[in-house]
Every structure is written in structure tokens, then in C-alpha cells.
Amino acid sequence: MRAPLSEPNKPVDFEAPPSHPRMRGRRQQLSQEAADYLRDAIIAAEIGSGEFVRPERVADELGMSPTPVREALMALAKEGFLVWRPRHGFQVAKVRITDIEDVFSVQAFIAGELAARAAANISDADLVHLHELQTALERASVASDMERVQDLNFQIHKTINNLAASPALARLLSTVVAYVPRRFYGSVPGWLAASVKDHGAILDALRSRHREAARAAMTSHIWHAGALLGEHISTHIRDGEAGPGAPAEAAGDRSDGVSLHHLVASIERQ
């Protein structure tokens, strides 16, 4: 995935229909899988700004043919993660810390509302189930089983979101979460400790059936995760690890207001 993309034979038409109008099933699934994989890698700075993505290399890594990978690259170009460079190929767009802030701001708002609604609906049995999931997560954390930790973290948040009984809002959250890399957690310093500490506050609020406390705890948790990711990416940029062509000003390219870097410091002092 690190090798430059060789010169393609023809330009890419981003508005062209798929090669088969009834493309379904396995090929569509593979294209989505490749898009998710690359999106995660870009957001988590595993592929740096300015690097070229070679579809054949990605296909080899994922064990699929280049065709669904090319479709994934075109989809990511439409989303703004990649830029098409004629005669060169697909180049990773500059990752802005402000973009990460925007995504996590929206996620925090929606997840906070879902947690508040869940607090009004949660049963004793639901609380027992969440406690069991969190206990298992903490054990997996001690064992450094990151795959298990990530799976349990997903289950905890999914359970809380479902308890809100607000399917439209949950679907909206799933759209936003698509821009948050699930695979970045294991490589981000502080995330394991944050999950243990932050989840405890969320479960305490749910146990008391306090809507606003649940909203605040969940909002803080999502911001904390976003802050850790933002700092992780900023470190890569400062250390020159964002790949060739990464703009030097990227680390300071943020909107007015509180930055993720300062949010990390303020949350960890609590």
C-alpha cells in the first residue's frame, strides 16, 4: 500500500455507472470492505497525506481482485479522502484536524442524545448485561486483547444506542461513525484507559436513570476518543510521519475554538 500507484491507462470517470448495472452481492461487499479499510487507514494516519494508493497492492493485502478496490478508491475520492491526479493516480488528501473535530462533534451530540434516551428506558436486566460487557472489556484490556476490546466496545455502544428506541437517530449516528476508524483504537495511546474510565461514568449515569448525566458522560467520552485520535494524528504530522507531500501546516490547520489537543488535557485532568 506504500508503493506509488503506477500510471493508469485511462482517466477515471467518477460518474460512470458500475460495469454491470445489477452489481450486487460479493463484489459490492468487497468494494465496501476495501473502502472501510482505506478510510480507517487514512483517518488513523496509517497512510499519510500526499501518498499514492496503489490498487493492486491493496487488493493483495485484502485478498481480493483490483476491481472492487478501484471502485472503493472512486468512492473515497467522492467522499474527499482521496484526490485523483491524472497520470499519477489516487493521492491521499490532506487530513485536517478540524475535519476530525467536526466528525466527533456530530457523533458526540447524537450519541449523547441516544444515551439520554436510553437512561429513560433502561431496565435492571439491561444494566446487568452492560456491566457484564464492561467487565469482559476490562479483562480483555488487561490481557491486551485489542480485537476483543474493540468488539466489546462496539457491543456496549450498540446496546446503549438500541436502548434509546430511536432507530432514525441511531441510523444517523451510524452514518457519522462510518468516518471514524474502528481499527485505530489499538494504536492510540490512552484509549484503553479512557474506555475503562469513561464507560464507568456512563454506566453510573444509566444506573441512576439520570438523562442529563448520561448525556454528559457519553458526550465527554466521545470527545475524549476524538481528542486522543486528533493528538495521535498531530504527532504523526509533527514527526514527519504523515507521508511524502504532507503539508507542514496541517498540524495547525484547525478552526477557531477549543482544539482536540486541549480537550485531551482538560478531560484527563477530570
Side-chain angles (χ1 to χ4, degrees):
M1 190 162 53
R2 298 292 181 180
L5 179 66
S6 58
E7 183 175 328
N9 295 324
K10 59 181 179 179
V12 174
D13 180 0
F14 293 114
E15 301 304 323
S19 57
H20 191 290
R22 295 181 178 273
M23 184 186 72
R24 293 292 187 272
R26 183 59 176 164
R27 177 173 154 187
Q28 192 171 26
Q29 180 182 346
L30 289 173
S31 178
Q32 184 63 53
E33 179 184 332
D36 291 343
Y37 174 85
L38 289 168
R39 189 187 298 108
D40 281 7
I42 292 169
I43 298 176
E46 293 174 2
I47 310 176
S49 300
E51 288 194 52
F52 286 92
V53 181
R54 183 180 179 184
E56 292 79 8
R57 180 69 65 84
V58 176
D60 287 343
E61 290 186 3
L62 297 180
M64 62 179 67
S65 71
T67 298
V69 174
R70 292 191 185 98
E71 291 168 354
L73 294 176
M74 288 188 285
L76 291 176
K78 288 183 179 180
E79 293 177 10
F81 288 100
L82 298 173
V83 178
W84 170 251
R85 302 295 187 193
R87 298 183 299 279
H88 293 284
F90 289 95
Q91 186 179 34
V92 177
K94 184 172 81 170
V95 177
R96 296 178 174 85
I97 302 303
T98 49
D99 292 337
I100 298 173
E101 289 176 343
D102 290 342
V103 170
F104 277 93
S105 292
V106 175
Q107 184 186 359
F109 178 81
I110 300 175
E113 177 61 27
L114 288 170
R117 297 183 187 188
N121 299 332
I122 197 165
S123 68
D124 290 341
D126 295 325
L127 287 168
V128 169
H129 177 57
L130 284 170
H131 176 73
E132 290 173 346
L133 290 174
Q134 180 64 17
T135 299
L137 183 150
E138 293 172 10
R139 288 174 180 166
S141 174
V142 172
S144 298
D145 186 349
M146 284 308 305
E147 184 175 352
R148 178 71 172 152
V149 168
Q150 292 175 34
D151 179 62
L152 288 164
N153 179 70
F154 174 76
Q155 290 185 48
I156 289 170
H157 282 274
K158 181 179 179 180
T159 299
I160 294 172
N161 294 339
N162 287 340
L163 287 171
S166 304
L169 201 57
R171 285 195 297 272
L172 184 59
L173 178 62
S174 67
T175 301
V176 177
V177 171
Y179 291 85
V180 179
R182 287 182 60 185
R183 295 185 301 109
F184 85 85
Y185 298 117
S187 62
V188 175
W191 181 81
L192 277 176
S195 290
V196 173
K197 179 182 177 182
D198 295 356
H199 285 182
I202 295 169
L203 295 182
D204 286 345
L206 291 173
R207 192 174 295 108
S208 66
R209 273 81 172 183
H210 195 299
R211 288 176 58 98
E212 293 310 311
R215 184 197 309 278
M218 181 62 78
T219 299
S220 177
H221 172 51
I222 300 301
W223 265 114
H224 195 178
L228 293 172
L229 176 60
E231 179 63 16
H232 173 69
I233 294 176
S234 294
T235 299
H236 278 244
I237 294 172
R238 287 195 300 269
D239 293 345
E241 297 176 3
E249 72 274 11
D253 185 2
R254 55 176 77 251
S255 59
D256 294 336
V258 181
S259 70
L260 287 171
H261 175 75
H262 293 108
L263 280 168
V264 171
S266 64
I267 292 172
E268 291 183 342
R269 284 196 298 268
Q270 295 177 2

